[in-house]
Amino acid sequence: MARKKIVAGNWKMNKTPSEAVALVNELKPLVASEDVDVLFCVPAIDLVPVLEAVKGSNIQVGAENMYFEESGAYTGEISPNMLTDIGVKYVIIGHSERREYFAETDETVNKKVLKAFEHGITPIICCGESLTQREQGITIDWIRQQIKIAFQNVTADQAKTAIIAYEPIWAIGTGKTATSDQAEEVCAAIRECIGEIYDDATKEEIRIQYGGSVNAGNAAELFAKPNIDGGLVGGASLKADFGKIVNYK
């Protein structure tokens, strides 16, 4: 069975609640597709109004982060049950910006992944290398390590439902995109790594996105690769171009 493509917008720290609703209403007719799963990952304060605004459409809603505890003295954090209570089904975990600016580690990523599965939330698990690491020739080694730690104690049945987002850090927001061959090489290596941890069935089922300056001009070429199952889209998810990425065919 062919894996269904999933195109997710990562809004990052953009859009007030009223702006978010306006953007959803603009994008709704542009991202209508039965062939692709469409997901908007939005700031926490936008989740409730966006969930309301997408009703009756094909758009699903995800959070950009969550904490690995149910409740407690964690000022400023959001728990998985807060997300499930409002109907959130996805969460981005371990984005490179979270790792770089907010001290997230492979170990905290693993804790969040386990907690997401515990609550029936699908994690979008991010991995990627810096320009220095690519120049040092350690890209695949680095990413295999990120994947192996992220999936520690995750069952095969859980892993099959996970989404992995490969995002070369040097291509995020820079306008530089990995070539489709570079992106495919790493996504194929990630799939092989999942096969080593689990089995062939799991590696065939798990969906792997590419992220890093995905736009209307390069989406079709990237998504045509056998191991790339869609995209995690940053800046282009905040404008009408997102519709062209979703309807890339």
Side-chain angles (χ1 to χ4, degrees), residues 50-182:
V50 166
L51 280 159
E52 190 60 36
V54 302
K55 278 184 178 166
S57 76
N58 62 311
I59 300 164
Q60 301 177 78
V61 179
E64 295 180 14
N65 185 32
M66 61 161 228
Y67 200 52
F68 49 74
E69 297 289 356
E70 312 276 327
S71 62
Y74 306 105
T75 301
E77 290 295 330
I78 289 171
S79 70
N81 27 332
M82 291 174 185
L83 297 179
T84 54
D85 188 70
I86 57 171
V88 170
K89 302 275 197 316
Y90 294 84
V91 63
I92 298 173
I93 293 177
H95 192 280
S96 62
E97 289 155 5
R98 299 290 320 166
R99 294 176 192 253
E100 183 181 353
Y101 306 136
F102 305 105
E104 293 209 9
T105 64
D106 290 337
E107 287 72 24
T108 58
V109 166
N110 176 241
K111 284 183 177 181
K112 290 181 178 189
V113 167
L114 292 171
K115 188 54 75 170
F117 279 125
E118 200 181 302
H119 286 266
I121 302 171
T122 300
I124 298 174
I125 302 159
C126 298
C127 60
E129 83 285 7
S130 67
L131 188 57
T132 304
Q133 288 160 341
R134 178 160 280 272
E135 287 168 349
Q136 289 167 339
I138 61 168
T139 294
I140 303 294
D141 295 334
W142 177 261
I143 284 166
R144 281 172 58 87
Q145 177 175 311
Q146 288 184 316
I147 294 298
K148 286 188 171 182
I149 297 173
F151 281 85
Q152 223 169 355
N153 299 318
V154 173
T155 68
D157 283 343
Q158 289 171 331
K160 283 174 186 167
T161 68
I163 296 160
I164 297 172
Y166 165 54
E167 297 201 305
I169 298 166
W170 48 272
I172 298 175
T174 59
K176 291 180 183 171
T177 315
T179 65
S180 54
D181 287 340
Q182 285 174 321

